[in-house]
Amino acid sequence: MSRAHATFEIAVDLVVLTVRDGRLAVLLIERGNEPFRGRPALPGGFLRAGEDLLDAAARELAEETGLRGITPDLRQVATYAAPGRDPRGRVATVAYLAILPDLPVPTAGTDAAIARWAPVGPGPDGLAFDHDRILADAVEHARRLLEDTPLATAFCREPFTVAELRGVYEAVWGVALDPRNFHRKVTGVPGYVEPTGDLRSLPTGRPAALFRRGPAEALYPPLQRPRRSLPAPQGD
Amino acid sequence: MSRAHATFEIAVDLVVLTVRDGRLAVLLIERGNEPFRGRPALPGGFLRAGEDLLDAAARELAEETGLRGITPDLRQVATYAAPGRDPRGRVATVAYLAILPDLPVPTAGTDAAIARWAPVGPGPDGLAFDHDRILADAVEHARRLLEDTPLATAFCREPFTVAELRGVYEAVWGVALDPRNFHRKVTGVPGYVEPTGDLRSLPTGRPAALFRRGPAEALYPPLQRPRRSLPAPQGD
DNA sequence: ACAAAAGTGTTCACTATACACCCATGC
DNA sequence: GCATGGGTGTATAGTGAACACTTTTGT
């Protein structure tokens, strides 16, 4: 077997999403080293000897957020290996999507990197490397996953109310949903959420029933996000 | 920057699917070298210097099938890098899904590898490396893509009939579909298929209208595959 | 005329949406 | 009582499955 092939280092980059103040937010670090020193970037790091991709993603997540012992929802999104995407040499990166409930503060990582939550906007954010592209791909991935997987519950601390879950959908999809119909849909999907039997009182209003995640791994029927498909009367 | 990280070779493996005789089929080669010499495997090869992933996948596809100048539907599915998945050392592989219309014969590759179409069954096929897993992931990916992308048209040579397109869905999903309702659904999705205006006569029956792919990159409304969601009266 | 495949019309059940309305709490 | 948010009922429109039926060919 010829060994004329290129050799790579493999990194894992994390797109850590949460909902803060009703807005979708992503965890960014400020790069402390060249290249792109001082520029915001997705957290991540290199694969170690004997380590699998998912293990590396979980390790990096623990290191960057300081969380231990949690089993967050981690999903592989895509792999990027374009020549020149990293000025240091041939580095391929595997992007993982991680969903967390709102954390009080991202507890600046052990790597002395400055971590912060940044709102996810529609346009590019000037991230290092090709991270703008990776972020956009991952957010679109998350939007799709909300439709037919119980991913949205990963944004919520248990137990949660239906209104909190609705806030996740509204923040990630960027649309307003009818509270009444949403309630019925969510509670009507077998295995999506299970009532705990408890209630939670807010400062005002009727107390909301509390739920935890159910056993379903896929949502049927799916919660389809609204799309405008109306053909314009004058054509398109 | 410490260089204590593992280094990898990166391969691209292809899951080339087609529909033959109404059955979903995958292109397999017989390995000519160790490891797994003589075992069936997915076609693939190593990334070359200066080459991006998609370019490598397209190159390998051309080499294995002998096709030139075509632009097949190639989509990245997932990346696998478990330690020990390749006995030769640390090799990560990026799996690509390629969809082709039925070819007369896979024109054994230039690599002197014996290529053949194998029907895709429900169980493992004893493929080399972790290719059973990769194949299963890619087939599930294809099943999902048929729902909301025009991927199915990539299985058909243009121009095609609605019945041919239906055959693709039936083969990939493994279900029977109502020809009448399928016809209406497909022709009702804006931008999915466009009539050429021509007809094709079969040995018997009314000639079918011919279509080509339309400009749509996503299908709305989607063609959802049938799922059994009926809660059994006695529980499941 | 008949068989076979393409394509249309119609019915019926189910799902989505909009929104009126009632419920349960704090003040 | 009143404001506020939680949750249910219900009317209406739209969508999907089932299937009768018509169209267009070859023999």
Side-chain angles (χ1 to χ4, degrees):
Chain A
M1 169 116 330
S2 134
R3 289 286 163 183
H5 321 114
T7 62
F8 291 78
E9 290 186 88
I10 294 186
V12 171
D13 282 331
L14 294 171
V15 179
V16 185
L17 298 179
T18 195
V19 173
R20 282 174 70 80
D21 308 320
R23 306 262 303 151
L24 185 64
V26 59
L27 186 66
L28 297 181
I29 57 136
E30 187 166 323
R31 286 191 56 80
N33 301 322
E34 294 297 342
F36 299 105
R37 182 181 194 128
R39 285 272 286 281
L42 298 172
F46 287 99
L47 212 61
R48 295 185 181 161
E51 194 176 42
D52 201 355
L53 292 166
L54 186 59
D55 300 325
R59 173 178 55 75
E60 290 290 340
L61 181 62
E63 289 177 6
E64 302 286 352
T65 64
L67 292 176
R68 305 281 168 181
I70 67 166
T71 316
D73 212 305
L74 268 171
R75 291 161 192 263
Q76 188 182 306
V77 173
T79 297
Y80 304 83
R85 62 169 294 280
D86 189 320
R88 292 168 293 189
R90 282 290 331 235
V91 178
T93 194
V94 183
Y96 273 81
L97 178 64
I99 305 296
L100 294 181
D102 188 8
L103 299 172
V105 64
T107 72
T110 62
D111 298 358
I114 303 153
R116 69 172 205 275
W117 291 112
V120 174
D125 301 286
L127 303 187
F129 305 105
D130 48 1
H131 287 188
D132 275 334
R133 165 81 189 287
I134 295 175
L135 173 59
D137 289 351
V139 168
E140 176 53 29
H141 201 76
R143 291 199 170 111
R144 274 203 342 90
L145 287 173
L146 285 203
E147 298 195 57
D148 50 17
T149 74
L151 182 69
T153 59
F155 283 99
C156 299
R157 230 188 305 273
E158 290 190 305
F160 51 84
T161 69
V162 173
E164 288 168 353
L165 195 60
R166 177 166 49 84
V168 169
Y169 280 88
E170 293 183 325
V172 177
W173 286 347
V175 298
L177 299 173
D178 184 294
R180 290 82 55 104
N181 294 330
F182 182 84
H183 185 280
R184 227 179 329 219
K185 263 192 200 174
V186 162
T187 55
V189 177
Y192 190 9
V193 296
E194 292 179 339
T196 66
D198 296 324
L199 301 177
R200 174 184 297 166
S201 283
L202 283 79
T204 180
R206 171 176 172 176
L210 291 171
F211 294 83
R212 60 175 152 262
R213 324 181 207 296
E217 299 189 352
L219 266 35
Y220 194 83
L223 280 73
Q224 303 213 87
R225 63 180 136 162
R227 304 176 221 223
R228 289 289 65 86
S229 68
L230 310 175
Q234 313 292 3
D236 56 6
Chain B
M1 165 113 336
S2 134
R3 290 284 164 186
H5 321 116
T7 63
F8 291 79
E9 289 186 271
I10 294 187
V12 171
D13 283 331
L14 294 172
V15 179
V16 185
L17 298 180
T18 196
V19 173
R20 283 174 69 83
D21 307 319
R23 306 263 303 153
L24 185 63
V26 59
L27 186 67
L28 297 181
I29 57 138
E30 187 166 324
R31 286 190 56 79
N33 301 321
E34 294 295 340
F36 299 105
R37 179 181 196 126
R39 285 272 284 282
L42 298 172
F46 287 99
L47 211 60
R48 295 186 181 162
E51 194 176 42
D52 200 354
L53 293 167
L54 186 59
D55 300 325
R59 173 179 54 75
E60 289 291 339
L61 180 62
E63 290 177 6
E64 302 286 351
T65 65
L67 292 176
R68 306 281 168 182
I70 66 165
T71 316
D73 212 305
L74 268 171
R75 292 161 191 265
Q76 189 182 306
V77 174
T79 298
Y80 304 83
R85 63 170 293 281
D86 190 320
R88 291 166 293 188
R90 270 325 292 256
V91 178
T93 194
V94 182
Y96 273 81
L97 180 64
I99 305 296
L100 294 180
D102 187 9
L103 297 172
V105 64
T107 71
T110 63
D111 298 0
I114 304 153
R116 68 172 206 274
W117 292 112
V120 174
D125 302 286
L127 303 186
F129 305 106
D130 48 2
H131 288 187
D132 275 334
R133 166 81 188 287
I134 294 174
L135 173 59
D137 289 352
V139 168
E140 176 53 29
H141 203 75
R143 291 197 170 113
R144 274 201 341 90
L145 288 173
L146 285 202
E147 299 194 59
D148 51 16
T149 74
L151 182 70
T153 59
F155 283 98
C156 299
R157 230 187 305 272
E158 291 190 303
F160 51 82
T161 68
V162 172
E164 287 167 354
L165 195 59
R166 177 166 48 84
V168 170
Y169 280 88
E170 293 182 326
V172 177
W173 286 347
V175 299
L177 300 174
D178 184 293
R180 290 81 57 104
N181 294 330
F182 182 83
H183 185 280
R184 228 176 331 220
K185 265 193 198 172
V186 162
T187 55
V189 177
Y192 190 10
V193 296
E194 292 181 336
T196 66
D198 297 324
L199 301 176
R200 174 183 297 166
S201 284
L202 282 78
T204 179
R206 172 176 171 177
L210 291 171
F211 294 83
R212 59 174 153 260
R213 321 182 207 297
E217 298 189 353
L219 267 34
Y220 193 82
L223 279 73
Q224 303 211 88
R225 61 180 138 163
R227 304 175 219 224
R228 292 288 63 86
S229 69
L230 311 174
Q234 314 292 4
D236 57 4

